Amino acid sequence: MPAAQSPNQNRLLAALPAAEFERLAPHLEPVEMLLGDILYESGGLLQHVYFPTTAILSLHYVMEDGSSSEIAGVGNEGVLGISLFMGGNTTPSRAVVQTSGQGYRLKAQLMMQEFKRAGLMQQLMLRYTQALITQMSQTAACNRHHSLVQQLCRWLLLTLDRMPTNELIMTQELVASMLGVRREGVTEAAGKLQQAGVIRYRRGHITVVDRSGLESQVCECYAVVKKEFARLLPDVLQRQDISQQSQNAGREAVLRTTDRSRSRK
Amino acid sequence: MPAAQSPNQNRLLAALPAAEFERLAPHLEPVEMLLGDILYESGGLLQHVYFPTTAILSLHYVMEDGSSSEIAGVGNEGVLGISLFMGGNTTPSRAVVQTSGQGYRLKAQLMMQEFKRAGLMQQLMLRYTQALITQMSQTAACNRHHSLVQQLCRWLLLTLDRMPTNELIMTQELVASMLGVRREGVTEAAGKLQQAGVIRYRRGHITVVDRSGLESQVCECYAVVKKEFARLLPDVLQRQDISQQSQNAGREAVLRTTDRSRSRK
DNA sequence: CGGATTATGTTAGGTAGCGCACATATGTCC
DNA sequence: GGACATATGTGCGCTACCTAACATAATCCG
């Protein structure tokens, strides 16, 4: 039973000046996104860009042999679909819903129009892209140099920062496909963290009990990414009000991205 | 003894319409870049953007423990310094010269002006950025899933595509720091390729003898990156004329990026 | 409530790449 | 031409992670 939402729960949207925001507001469609929904398939045409509010999305690279890795996550600090205005029209990666929740979407054409006005929206989008690039590069280096436990900590912290609670609805299998490792590897790493009293988990749920414990084990990559986001998007990150003030906005016309709720393959 | 160069040996510059090109041409400074020169230090302010013609540059991530990985390479198909117009003013990565050669540079301020005109230059830069993002993501996934030999093949092919010859001036130690692995690992992988008759090498030189041999061992990542470049920048890639027609342009005022020629640490 | 489904735990053996220590070869420079 | 710096080859033990095949446990659902 999700709480009411409003577009400015997405921090990029919230950072827009009133004039630009008002221009877009009528075109922002509320959407409900469910765990496993695929928003973009690799190579597909982008029809919309998505501004998550409570949902968390994940960009995946899927290799020929079926194995995959997360390249970056997108929460209420960001937007999905940057390739649109970068000129590609398609993404080379797949976008899936990592945590069920809501968000807003905007028709590709409208987004392009707004981008071309070269206003603050354009600046925000470009700076966000830059931050995303940092996250991707750091992931590349992290994959090379750091241990699974460290990477799990990094991933948990990044995800936690996008959530209002400290409990992820997430199987180890799913986490494994995010990190691009075997499920058993995650079992082992998560087991260590649980023994250390940092997290607790049960079938499909992971609860972070001791955030500072994660921070003490995580590799530098987490801090680097956070710092770069803070540097590039200070106005966006300051407003940490994901408060669930019920202001019943846009609650009626929520649409679903798909019907099947879990289509992970 | 380098051949004469002209700005349109850089394929991004060459793809500009005459009007835009003419506007920039007077401000393009020829530069000579030597192996090991550091063009940007991580976190430093960007004073110029660089358009390589014969040089090849490399974006590195350096971790706290000193280990590093290449995130992406930049040859005459690209430009170094995209973070400038993405809004960052600084790069989070280090840029070093991977193959000595020439290029042109443009003052950051002028580049920004041109970018803001929202002409073809802006479009080119954005699409190039998108292609770069693909390369980075693919690297992240490749680091996770593919063997050292495959990665070496990928790296050799990508580098080869940016070179007029088939001989790289490059120690195994350097290759190792690109791929983010141990030097011994490269020795072993290169040894395998040499035994297979694909490459030949001697102290600081690697010669690709059988390109198709590389292609048969490389992972999919190479093709994905190439394809994405071709899709996004068809106009840029078509002109494969890196011909060394001697047209003595801008030969007099070549400047060096630094004095020390090998400052790899 | 009982059975099907799905998540997690555990084992055993294999392997790629690491760290380290050293041997050898190849240029370079006085 | 000899000494020195630097690049490359090799061996060995080690660890993290993988492949694969199960055992057990939690949750869902009829």
Side-chain angles (χ1 to χ4, degrees):
Chain A
M1 198 53 52
Q5 63 167 348
S6 93
N8 64 17
Q9 283 178 294
N10 177 282
R11 296 191 249 142
L12 280 182
L13 290 176
L16 287 176
E20 300 193 30
F21 181 79
E22 294 305 328
R23 195 157 54 218
L24 290 180
H27 307 290
L28 290 168
E29 291 176 70
V31 278
E32 170 105 29
M33 294 169 271
L34 293 175
L35 182 62
D37 284 353
I38 296 180
L39 300 181
Y40 298 153
E41 193 51 82
S42 158
L45 275 177
L46 278 71
Q47 314 280 10
H48 299 87
V49 293
Y50 292 81
F51 296 91
T53 54
T54 58
I56 304 181
L57 316 177
S58 176
L59 297 176
H60 275 207
Y61 243 68
V62 184
M63 317 241 67
E64 280 169 4
D65 66 0
S67 58
S68 75
S69 299
E70 186 183 63
I71 320 276
V74 179
N76 76 332
E77 83 292 348
V79 59
L80 177 70
I82 56 163
S83 333
L84 177 69
F85 45 81
M86 296 307 283
N89 285 328
T90 72
T91 358
S93 52
R94 168 187 288 178
V96 303
V97 177
Q98 179 204 305
T99 298
S100 301
Q102 293 110 30
Y104 289 83
R105 71 182 194 186
L106 187 58
K107 284 220 161 58
Q109 200 196 345
L110 288 167
M111 183 60 181
M112 276 311 287
Q113 274 175 27
E114 189 61 33
F115 185 83
K116 285 185 179 150
R117 284 174 185 264
L120 189 60
M121 178 62 117
Q122 189 190 69
Q123 260 190 55
L124 274 178
M125 290 299 117
L126 292 181
R127 277 188 294 165
Y128 175 70
T129 302
Q130 169 74 10
L132 212 56
I133 289 177
T134 301
Q135 197 183 338
M136 292 174 176
S137 326
Q138 199 74 35
T139 303
C142 191
N143 279 354
R144 172 64 83 203
H145 296 288
H146 299 141
S147 74
L148 214 170
V149 177
Q150 288 180 306
Q151 295 183 39
L152 179 57
C153 289
R154 168 176 62 85
W155 187 86
L156 284 172
L157 283 169
L158 285 173
T159 303
L160 210 58
D161 289 344
R162 298 186 172 107
M163 305 221 338
T165 74
N166 60 347
E167 179 179 349
L168 324 190
I169 312 296
M170 177 115 320
T171 67
Q172 299 185 357
E173 179 84 45
L174 253 178
V175 175
S177 88
M178 298 282 170
L179 297 178
V181 297
R182 265 180 338 146
R183 195 267 313 162
E184 290 91 326
V186 173
T187 301
E188 190 192 329
K192 280 184 196 164
L193 290 179
Q194 177 154 256
Q195 277 192 343
V198 175
I199 64 174
R200 229 171 332 109
Y201 59 89
R202 51 174 246 272
R203 203 166 219 258
H205 300 248
I206 306 176
T207 308
V208 176
V209 201
D210 173 16
R211 192 192 153 102
S212 64
L214 284 180
E215 284 168 349
S216 72
Q217 294 203 44
V218 76
C219 48
E220 59 193 286
C221 302
Y222 170 68
V224 170
V225 169
K226 285 312 269 186
K227 209 175 119 200
E228 188 69 357
F229 264 87
R231 183 177 77 81
L232 289 164
L233 302 163
D235 38 350
V236 173
L237 292 182
Q238 265 157 23
R239 323 202 181 183
Q240 263 287 6
D241 54 310
I242 325 181
S243 55
Q244 278 138 337
Q245 75 275 34
S246 310
Q247 50 185 43
N248 280 19
R251 191 69 193 83
E252 54 294 322
V254 173
L255 58 90
R256 296 250 164 131
T257 50
T258 36
D259 284 307
R260 76 230 131 76
S261 68
R262 290 145 166 258
S263 58
R264 171 180 45 82
K265 209 256 133 133
Chain B
M1 196 56 49
Q5 64 166 347
S6 93
N8 64 19
Q9 283 178 294
N10 179 282
R11 296 191 249 145
L12 281 181
L13 289 176
L16 287 176
E20 300 194 30
F21 182 79
E22 294 306 329
R23 195 157 54 220
L24 291 180
H27 306 290
L28 289 168
E29 290 176 71
V31 278
E32 169 105 29
M33 294 168 271
L34 293 174
L35 182 62
D37 284 351
I38 296 180
L39 300 182
Y40 298 152
E41 194 50 82
S42 158
L45 276 178
L46 278 69
Q47 313 281 10
H48 299 89
V49 293
Y50 291 81
F51 296 92
T53 54
T54 58
I56 304 181
L57 315 177
S58 178
L59 297 176
H60 275 206
Y61 243 69
V62 183
M63 317 240 68
E64 280 170 3
D65 67 359
S67 59
S68 76
S69 298
E70 185 185 65
I71 316 280
V74 179
N76 76 332
E77 84 292 349
V79 60
L80 176 70
I82 56 163
S83 332
L84 176 69
F85 46 80
M86 296 307 283
N89 285 328
T90 71
T91 358
S93 52
R94 169 187 288 177
V96 302
V97 177
Q98 178 203 308
T99 297
S100 302
Q102 294 111 32
Y104 289 83
R105 71 182 196 185
L106 187 60
K107 284 217 161 59
Q109 200 197 343
L110 288 167
M111 183 61 180
M112 276 311 286
Q113 275 175 27
E114 189 61 33
F115 184 83
K116 284 184 178 151
R117 284 175 184 264
L120 189 59
M121 179 61 117
Q122 189 189 70
Q123 260 190 55
L124 274 178
M125 290 299 117
L126 292 181
R127 277 189 293 166
Y128 175 69
T129 302
Q130 169 74 11
L132 212 56
I133 289 176
T134 301
Q135 197 182 337
M136 292 174 176
S137 328
Q138 199 72 37
T139 303
C142 191
N143 279 355
R144 172 66 81 205
H145 296 288
H146 299 140
S147 74
L148 213 170
V149 177
Q150 289 180 305
Q151 295 183 39
L152 179 57
C153 289
R154 167 176 63 85
W155 187 86
L156 283 171
L157 283 169
L158 284 172
T159 304
L160 210 58
D161 289 344
R162 298 186 171 108
M163 305 224 334
T165 74
N166 60 347
E167 180 179 350
L168 324 190
I169 312 296
M170 177 114 320
T171 67
Q172 298 184 358
E173 178 84 45
L174 253 179
V175 175
S177 89
M178 298 283 169
L179 296 179
V181 296
R182 267 182 336 150
R183 196 265 312 160
E184 292 90 325
V186 174
T187 301
E188 190 192 328
K192 280 185 195 163
L193 290 179
Q194 177 154 256
Q195 279 191 344
V198 174
I199 65 175
R200 228 170 333 110
Y201 59 89
R202 50 174 247 272
R203 206 169 219 256
H205 300 250
I206 305 176
T207 309
V208 176
V209 202
D210 173 15
R211 194 194 152 100
S212 64
L214 284 180
E215 283 167 350
S216 72
Q217 295 203 42
V218 75
C219 49
E220 59 193 286
C221 303
Y222 170 69
V224 170
V225 170
K226 286 312 269 186
K227 208 174 121 201
E228 188 69 357
F229 265 87
R231 182 177 78 81
L232 290 164
L233 302 162
D235 38 350
V236 174
L237 292 181
Q238 264 157 25
R239 322 204 181 181
Q240 263 288 7
D241 52 310
I242 326 180
S243 56
Q244 280 137 334
Q245 75 276 31
S246 312
Q247 50 185 45
N248 280 22
R251 191 69 193 82
E252 53 293 321
V254 174
L255 58 92
R256 296 252 164 128
T257 49
T258 35
D259 284 307
R260 76 230 132 75
S261 68
R262 290 144 167 260
S263 58
R264 168 181 46 80
K265 212 249 123 150

